[in-house]
Amino acid sequence: MSFQHRHRRRFTNMALPPLSLLCLKYSVQNKSKTQRIEEELARARALIRKAILTKNYTSDRNEIYIPRGKMVKTFKVWAYREGEVPMVHDGPTTYLYSIEGQFIFEMESGPSPFMAKHPDEAHAFFLPLSVSKITDFLFRPHRETFFHRLDRIFTDYIFVVQEKYPYWNRSGGADHFMVSCHDWASLIQRDDPKPYKNLIKLGPPRFGLPPENRTVLAFFAGAAHGDIRCILFEHWKEKDDEVRVYEKLPDNINYHKIMGQTKFCLCPSGSEVASPRVVEAMNAGCVPVLISDSYAIPFADVLNWSKFSIQIPPKNISEIKTILKAIPHKRYLKLQKRVLQVRRHFELNRPAKPFDVFHMVLHSVTHLNTSTQYVSPSQPQSQPPPLPSPPTPIVADHVKKRSNTNKIEEQLARARAAIHKAVLTKNYTSDRQEIYIPRGSVYRNPYSFHQSHIEMVKRFKIWAYKEGELPMFHNGPMSYIYSIEGHFMDELDSSGKSPFLARHVHEAHSFFVPVSVKRIADFLYDRPKPYSFHGRLVRIVTDYINVVARKYPYWNRSEGADHFMVSCHDWAPEIINDDLKFYKNFIRVLCNANTSEGFQPGRDISLPEYNLASGTLGPSRLDSHPDERPILAFFAGGAHGDIRKFLFEHWRDKDEEIQVNEYLPKGQNYHQIMGQTKFCLCPSGTEVASPRVVEAMYAGCVPVLISDYYALPFADVLDWSKFTIEIPPKRIPEIKTILKAVSYTEYLKLQKRVMQVRRHFELNRPAQPFDVFHMVLHSIWLRRLNIRLPD
């Protein structure tokens, strides 16, 4: 007898919630419980956004740890009461699947601060089934039919709560979650994935020694489960004193104690991708070395794993020793220090404590929950939840004729859904032939980026305002240091040929303010009276925006959040300083992306800088093969700014391998020398940006970024650590030592990735997919995806 039939009688006697709970129609005098919950989540979104902008937090209690939470104050979970032990409300609390049982007990035993007193108060809903316990009781007697029975138990349980409560149907399961550590949990939706499409699926002793007392380079001990471990044993099992790999530890060695004596703990996948060794390594203060394919790392929406772990693809297992030996001691110390910082998020406490693993799991749930907006029962529920949007009230749409705003928001919702699907399936959907498929470590998430670019090309429309006259509007420089400003304006505005241009203003997703700071400076900057210029610059731009705000509804509708300007001039950031409130949402696409001067990476966009000769679209490509680059490092340029002066003090004309010049000798070709160099130094000048970054990429030379406070271009898509070297200005005297410590194998990887990524910095006219114009627009597109406008 199925779960559904066994428990139907028990459930039918319970009182059903009133029909008013299912109605999402807005009422000022009598708000529904759903609207109250949505308003709580909107306030949480607003405070999170405020924290990002202000780089500070707001709390009504004393914070025991500041991660440099609103969840603890707001988030409430309802654990369904239906079902009986041992397969529901129970789970293993020891051995490999222990986190499953510990989580269930923490949620249900009380007094958890996250438990809702009534389901109407809940932001999320917990299904307290244990795959491990179901397996214990049903697998052996019914092995042939077990997986169908497992699926049926879950489906029947959901059917029961779906019949009894409105919450599953209201969100399509998007605010419901289960927790399981069992290998077979992912098979639950195998028979019928549709009901589960939105369902959220979600320590050892410490003997860690200080870093200087860790004598073992790398360590692993465990059974030969899965292909990855078999390859590991083939190359390393009991073959090396520094890379110590065992299938069975000798009797005189303590497993956790040797972890505490080890720098890098190997964490290869076994039969399944996850391994408890990741947590064990952190508890021992040992840097985890992740060796896995297709493992979605825990809490990656919050934690940057590249900062405290090493990832080695299984195909590079034979190179483990070479890779780990190539890591400089200073970098190891940073990694190990971050492991000690981050391990609090993997600690299991009973009762749970702020920022421990229980809180982190719930934070992942609330992060997805704040991305979900309910629709009324009359609306279709075919789309997965959209990406997070700002705190604007969401009103159910019962009107047959949809507004233009609604149509635009539906387009963006479809785009979000396609991106979400691409991330889950690790594949893309396109109605045209793709000329380039982004893959590899240079991308933070290649599947998300690729699908997002596809959706952008397919849907994104921009309205360039027509108001304003030449020469200060609709015009910009096409050569020299600020040339990208003019080329962008010409491509998107003046030429009128861009496929991204909206035919009518009401079709637009974003709005371009076509002002040129460079042209304003050319025509209005008065050298005898330079102090009057700033006020005139601000007044011109503010007056222009006031004109379009009075003429059209779009600025006021979003408070400027879907409007942007593009400028490469050093003075462009100053425009907003006189009225920060008016410009609080306005997107500035700037070369001078200096975070110490008000640049906000979550809102503003960093623009690569170019130094173009008249009539050209980029520097000459005179790059040589990696084996034919005899110069270790090179820089030539003016002594602008403190960083370059410090560089010249230590390196100008002093070393044959580190060639630093203020002026090149006659007869030498700047771009040709770059093409003969391994590492091209890119120090900031008067401002943080430098055209040398792009020039280095064109020459196939690995950029060495020497800067403070520079927000790198396209960092929401590209992982710059994979194709550049970053050296803090204070370490300029160590440049040669740092670059010499980069192994030849690592240099080849960096150089190969430079060749891959430079297509994103190419300037084409007309623009081409994935070039710099598309990359800038994609950054604007991402910000537009993350806001939702009220109708």
Side-chain angles (χ1 to χ4, degrees):
M1 185 182 294
S2 71
F3 189 99
Q4 167 189 336
H5 294 294
R6 283 190 280 117
H7 294 276
R8 184 186 295 277
R9 183 174 179 181
R10 177 184 169 196
F11 301 143
T12 51
N13 293 329
M14 301 293 290
L16 292 174
L19 286 175
S20 60
L21 287 178
L22 300 176
C23 181
L24 297 180
K25 187 175 180 181
Y26 184 80
S27 170
V28 176
Q29 297 179 343
N30 188 22
K31 296 178 184 176
S32 71
K33 292 183 173 69
T34 303
Q35 280 182 313
R36 291 174 192 156
I37 288 172
E38 285 301 301
E39 288 179 3
E40 289 175 2
L41 295 175
R43 285 192 287 271
R45 293 185 197 105
L47 284 171
I48 294 167
R49 186 178 293 269
K50 176 185 175 184
I52 294 170
L53 296 177
T54 63
K55 298 185 179 178
N56 204 348
Y57 67 92
T58 304
S59 179
D60 54 10
R61 64 185 180 87
N62 187 24
E63 292 294 303
I64 63 168
Y65 173 66
I66 301 172
R68 339 234 116 33
K70 186 67 185 165
M71 177 188 77
V72 177
K73 178 180 178 182
T74 304
F75 193 46
K76 297 298 179 186
V77 178
W78 177 258
Y80 284 115
R81 311 291 195 241
E82 289 68 28
E84 304 291 343
V85 293
M87 293 183 292
V88 188
H89 311 291
D90 189 18
T93 56
T94 58
Y95 193 50
L96 196 58
Y97 307 127
S98 54
I99 186 66
E100 180 175 316
Q102 295 285 357
F103 193 97
I104 291 173
F105 285 127
E106 178 69 21
M107 284 298 301
E108 298 202 316
S109 62
S112 172
F114 298 102
M115 290 302 298
K117 296 178 182 177
H118 190 278
D120 288 349
E121 302 171 355
H123 304 91
F125 300 83
F126 177 45
L127 305 176
L129 294 99
S130 168
V131 176
S132 182
K133 289 296 186 182
I134 295 171
T135 303
D136 289 346
F137 286 88
L138 293 184
F139 177 67
R140 293 195 183 279
H142 308 284
R143 183 172 301 187
E144 293 79 14
T145 61
F146 170 74
F147 294 107
H148 295 292
R149 292 168 66 88
L150 172 66
D151 185 86
R152 196 159 61 246
I153 287 170
F154 270 80
T155 304
D156 287 350
Y157 188 91
I158 290 172
F159 177 83
V160 169
V161 298
Q162 185 181 11
E163 287 279 292
K164 185 175 179 181
Y165 306 101
Y167 311 110
W168 179 280
N169 293 332
R170 181 181 66 179
S171 69
D175 52 1
H176 285 59
F177 69 99
M178 59 168 280
V179 174
S180 180
C181 204
H182 200 282
D183 301 345
W184 294 339
S186 60
L187 301 177
I188 290 168
Q189 60 183 20
R190 185 175 65 173
D191 285 1
D192 185 8
K194 188 175 180 181
Y196 301 93
K197 64 179 180 178
N198 296 324
L199 179 65
I200 305 166
K201 302 170 188 167
L202 292 180
R206 289 182 178 171
F207 294 109
L209 297 178
E212 61 272 13
N213 295 338
R214 293 176 179 257
T215 55
V216 182
L217 177 66
F219 165 72
F220 171 78
H225 303 313
D227 295 339
I228 291 177
R229 293 193 188 177
C230 291
I231 297 171
L232 179 69
F233 287 156
E234 178 186 340
H235 286 280
W236 295 104
K237 182 180 172 183
E238 300 180 25
K239 292 181 180 180
D240 194 286
D241 289 338
E242 292 184 284
V243 180
R244 299 172 66 172
V245 174
Y246 303 91
E247 187 170 6
K248 191 172 189 289
L249 268 180
D251 293 337
N252 62 335
I253 298 180
N254 181 297
Y255 175 79
H256 296 292
K257 195 168 184 179
I258 193 173
M259 270 194 162
Q261 299 167 352
T262 301
K263 291 183 172 70
F264 299 97
C265 288
L266 307 182
C267 305
S269 293
S271 302
E272 304 296 335
V273 289
S275 167
R277 280 158 191 82
V278 178
V279 176
E280 292 167 350
M282 291 185 187
N283 274 280
C286 182
V287 178
V289 179
L290 309 178
I291 309 174
S292 178
D293 281 323
S294 309
Y295 182 29
I297 304 173
F299 318 137
D301 47 359
V302 171
L303 301 179
N304 185 346
W305 281 74
S306 68
K307 302 300 184 184
F308 59 92
S309 68
I310 300 293
Q311 297 191 30
I312 297 180
K315 65 182 179 181
N316 293 343
I317 282 176
S318 61
E319 304 172 45
I320 284 176
K321 187 172 182 177
T322 306
I323 293 169
L324 298 182
K325 288 281 244 182
I327 296 173
H329 185 62
K330 289 187 177 180
R331 187 186 170 207
Y332 160 69
L333 291 177
K334 287 183 180 179
L335 290 166
Q336 201 268 348
K337 183 179 179 181
R338 292 169 186 152
V339 166
L340 297 181
Q341 177 189 1
V342 84
R343 71 181 179 185
R344 68 161 49 236
H345 303 310
F346 296 84
E347 290 173 352
L348 181 61
N349 299 300
R350 296 297 308 278
K353 296 180 180 179
F355 298 101
D356 70 0
V357 68
F358 180 77
H359 278 237
M360 292 296 285
V361 172
L362 283 186
H363 184 269
S364 295
V365 176
T366 190
H367 177 74
L368 290 172
N369 189 262
T370 56
S371 304
T372 305
Q373 270 118 18
Y374 297 130
V375 294
S376 74
S378 64
Q379 286 180 300
Q381 299 184 25
S382 59
Q383 299 296 340
L387 299 179
S389 57
T392 53
I394 307 304
V395 182
D397 179 15
H398 297 286
V399 184
K400 289 185 179 180
K401 185 178 179 181
R402 294 173 300 160
S403 68
N404 292 321
T405 304
N406 262 339
K407 293 174 186 175
I408 286 172
E409 290 301 315
E410 287 177 10
Q411 291 173 14
L412 296 174
R414 284 192 286 270
R416 295 185 194 105
I419 296 166
H420 185 64
K421 177 183 175 184
V423 173
L424 295 178
T425 63
K426 295 187 176 179
N427 205 348
Y428 66 91
T429 305
S430 178
D431 52 11
R432 63 186 178 87
Q433 186 175 358
E434 293 297 302
I435 64 166
Y436 174 67
I437 299 176
R439 291 294 182 268
S441 62
V442 297
Y443 302 104
R444 297 192 180 279
N445 189 320
Y447 310 101
S448 173
F449 170 49
H450 188 196
Q451 192 65 48
S452 181
H453 189 276
I454 290 171
E455 298 300 319
M456 177 189 76
V457 172
K458 180 179 178 181
R459 305 178 190 279
F460 195 35
K461 296 299 178 186
I462 295 170
W463 180 259
Y465 284 116
K466 312 302 183 194
E467 289 68 24
E469 302 294 338
L470 297 172
M472 294 184 289
F473 298 91
H474 312 287
N475 183 25
M478 305 288 279
S479 60
Y480 191 48
I481 200 77
Y482 306 123
S483 53
I484 187 66
E485 178 177 319
H487 278 284
F488 192 98
M489 197 170 297
D490 189 62
E491 177 76 24
L492 190 60
D493 178 28
S494 307
S495 69
K497 298 177 182 178
S498 173
F500 293 100
L501 280 173
R503 291 173 296 179
H504 192 280
V505 67
H506 65 68
E507 298 173 353
H509 303 90
S510 293
F511 301 82
F512 177 42
V513 178
V515 57
S516 171
V517 176
K518 176 65 170 68
R519 290 298 187 223
I520 294 174
D522 289 344
F523 287 89
L524 293 184
Y525 183 70
D526 188 356
R527 293 192 181 277
K529 301 176 183 178
Y531 299 107
S532 65
F533 174 74
H534 168 79
R536 300 180 75 185
L537 170 65
V538 171
R539 200 156 53 246
I540 287 170
V541 178
T542 303
D543 287 350
Y544 183 90
I545 291 175
N546 279 322
V547 167
V548 297
R550 283 193 293 268
K551 187 173 181 180
Y552 306 100
Y554 307 108
W555 176 278
N556 293 328
R557 180 182 65 178
S558 69
E559 295 184 330
D562 50 3
H563 286 58
F564 68 97
M565 63 168 285
V566 175
S567 181
C568 207
H569 200 282
D570 300 348
W571 297 336
E574 299 177 10
I575 290 171
I576 71 168
N577 292 344
D578 285 9
D579 194 346
L580 294 175
K581 186 176 180 180
F582 181 73
Y583 287 107
K584 65 180 179 180
N585 298 321
F586 184 46
I587 300 168
R588 301 174 301 163
V589 184
L590 305 173
C591 290
N592 187 14
N594 189 331
T595 58
S596 72
E597 297 178 357
F599 184 93
Q600 297 178 10
R603 176 197 67 190
D604 301 322
I605 294 165
S606 180
L607 182 66
E609 191 167 279
Y610 293 74
N611 188 1
L612 299 181
S614 180
T616 68
L617 292 176
S620 304
R621 292 190 178 180
L622 302 173
D623 51 311
S624 304
H625 189 273
D627 294 334
E628 298 171 356
R629 292 175 178 261
I631 303 170
L632 179 63
F634 167 71
F635 171 78
H640 308 308
D642 294 337
I643 292 177
R644 293 193 188 177
K645 290 175 182 176
F646 192 40
L647 177 69
F648 288 156
E649 178 186 335
H650 285 276
W651 295 105
R652 181 168 58 183
D653 301 328
K654 292 181 180 180
D655 193 290
E656 291 185 359
E657 291 185 285
I658 309 293
Q659 296 191 20
V660 174
N661 307 275
E662 186 169 5
Y663 300 103
L664 273 180
K666 288 185 178 180
Q668 290 193 8
N669 184 306
Y670 174 81
H671 296 294
Q672 190 172 37
I673 296 176
M674 273 194 160
Q676 297 169 352
T677 302
K678 291 183 174 69
F679 298 98
C680 288
L681 306 181
C682 305
S684 292
T686 308
E687 303 296 344
V688 289
S690 167
R692 281 158 190 81
V693 178
V694 174
E695 292 167 349
M697 291 183 184
Y698 269 72
C701 182
V702 177
V704 178
L705 308 175
I706 309 173
S707 179
D708 282 326
Y709 311 113
Y710 182 30
L712 296 166
F714 319 136
D716 41 11
V717 168
L718 302 178
D719 185 346
W720 282 75
S721 68
K722 303 300 184 184
F723 56 93
T724 64
I725 300 288
E726 291 192 52
I727 297 179
K730 65 182 179 181
R731 299 188 65 188
I732 281 175
E734 305 171 54
I735 284 176
K736 188 171 183 178
T737 304
I738 293 170
L739 298 182
K740 284 280 206 178
V742 178
S743 68
Y744 187 63
T745 302
E746 181 64 20
Y747 160 69
L748 289 178
K749 288 181 182 178
L750 290 167
Q751 201 271 345
K752 182 179 179 181
R753 293 168 186 155
V754 167
M755 302 301 286
Q756 176 189 2
V757 85
R758 72 178 180 184
R759 69 163 51 236
H760 301 310
F761 295 85
E762 291 174 352
L763 180 62
N764 299 299
R765 298 298 309 275
Q768 296 177 14
F770 297 102
D771 70 359
V772 69
F773 182 77
H774 277 235
M775 293 296 286
V776 172
L777 285 189
H778 183 261
S779 296
I780 299 166
W781 163 251
L782 285 182
R783 283 148 181 79
R784 183 60 183 87
L785 280 176
N786 277 321
I787 68 169
R788 183 172 177 182
L789 300 176
D791 187 14

